[in-house]
Amino acid sequence: MLRLSLPSSSSPPIASTLRSLPLRTVAARQTFRNTIGLNVWYRMASTANTNVFGLKDPSLIKTQGFIDGKWVDARDGATIRVTNPATEEELGTVPEMGLAETQAAISAAGKAFETWGRTTAKSRHDILMKLYALMQENHDDLGRIITLENGKPLAEGKGENAYSSSFIEWYAEEAVRTYGEHIPSPFTNIRNVVIKQPVGVVSILTPWNFPSAMITRKLGAALAAGCTAVIKPPPETPFSALALTELARRAGVPDGVINVVTTQKNVGEVGREMCESKTVKKVSFTGSTPVAKMLYGMAASTLKKISIEAGGNAPFIVFDDADIDQAVDGAIACKFRGSGQTCVCANRIYVQSSVYADFASRLAQKVAGFKVGNGLDDKTTHGPLIHDRAIQKVQRHIDDAVSRGANVLVGGQRISTPGTFFSPTVLSEVPADALLNSEETFGPVAALTKFETEADVLEMANNTDVGLAGYFFSRDVGRVWRVAERLEVGMVGTNTGLISHATIPFGGVKESGIGYEGSHGIGEYMNQKLIAFGGI
């Protein structure tokens, strides 16, 4: 009989032990399971190799879901494999949860709301500020987790943690400023008072491109308002969400207030329950427009509140009076951050004909100097795409544009090394009917299209069903006002490619979403209640 001494806390990680065992056949694995018992087997299967992460505090790596204050596995022991897109190395596994776990998480959040919803704004402020402090203390580790599971350069990973923690700080301060109001009555014996109260249990569904910030932008507002939450992080990047949950626990967030359900194959039933459960009073989602529409329809079954930040197709316009160097720098910051995998990055770059050649040449020269590689390499400027499907979409868009007459100035193909790397690309002479002008590419492709007049470019820029962000460069103050007002988007950057931070309202128009996050976001998690005092 095979005997196994399970490692102590000072021994090598248990996942490493498991991988080192000669269990190459189904029969061998079955014998091993029978020997140690299924529960131990499942725990070993859902363990991360903390040596791979290389953290100062390895206890931030959690490989279980979190329900009612407890770290838990999937009831059937199923797991999801999480890999580093830069190396294709396994980072660890997390539970493949389903309907039962989701219902348990919602139930726990509902029970916790009974007390958390009645806490004072000051007490919620204090706990959130403790969480903010912990995120600052663990800045390097949290940034490293982001880089390892998402692929972005370490500087961007740490930058995301700073961005992510800024939402916690902002909403901590907003918690104590959720003022009501007194409305004068037309009757002498009645006084009208409006108060604000938390909506209740909130479902939070987030994407992989900002695995930390997309959670805190929602969770910070929910907790500050007095809501409890069930979070479904993306299967590609769950470790950031779980690390944040661990820090929230350390900060004093009570059991049941935050719950995390990890899933991949069961996303349909999990998402439906998170939207249709009568216990859930609000849904907050960031992701693609098709998925947003689907979740919106599910949430409509109980007419619950909803916030959606969906797809973008941002225009980036360079007028002939622009500072070209500034415009090139703005395009690089906007288009290539996160290797083009951001919802507000430039997707369609329109350049006025008289400066087109100059802009294209300068942009191509700078992009050619990018260093693509592992985000942990301090020389790397741009990391991998998240998975092969992203590579395939980028290549499809480039091939389509070239088939319609576009020219490749830089890049244009996958990099033939391990990992999901794609060479940063600049295309010129991209026709208006190219796919990448109608679909969000979500990759490192700058597609340049020539225009002649302000009226022409505004018509092209607004010719889309979505409207999240838009950018333009001009030194004509009259044009700045005209174009900013006429662009059909929720956010405009004039002479800058970077617009997002905690203090601004973040959201879009048309099919880019409903509601706002950031500075105005806490109101999305509260109900207004009129109290009319009579007999005065």
Side-chain angles (χ1 to χ4, degrees), residues 34-57:
N34 292 341
T35 302
I36 66 172
L38 283 178
N39 289 337
V40 174
W41 168 267
Y42 288 144
R43 283 295 302 118
M44 292 176 71
S46 59
T47 302
N49 182 351
T50 54
N51 288 343
V52 172
F53 285 88
L55 305 186
K56 298 173 185 176
D57 180 3

Side-chain angles (χ1 to χ4, degrees), residues 515-535:
Y516 281 84
E517 297 179 315
S519 66
H520 295 179
I522 196 169
E524 303 279 348
Y525 295 82
M526 305 193 85
N527 291 322
Q528 295 188 65
K529 178 183 287 184
L530 167 68
I531 305 175
F533 292 89

Side-chain angles (χ1 to χ4, degrees), residues 384-406:
L385 300 190
I386 191 65
H387 44 48
D388 280 329
R389 296 191 305 280
I391 293 274
Q392 292 162 11
K393 183 177 184 181
V394 169
Q395 191 67 65
R396 178 167 58 87
H397 278 192
I398 292 173
D399 292 346
D400 171 78
V402 171
S403 72
R404 297 173 189 270

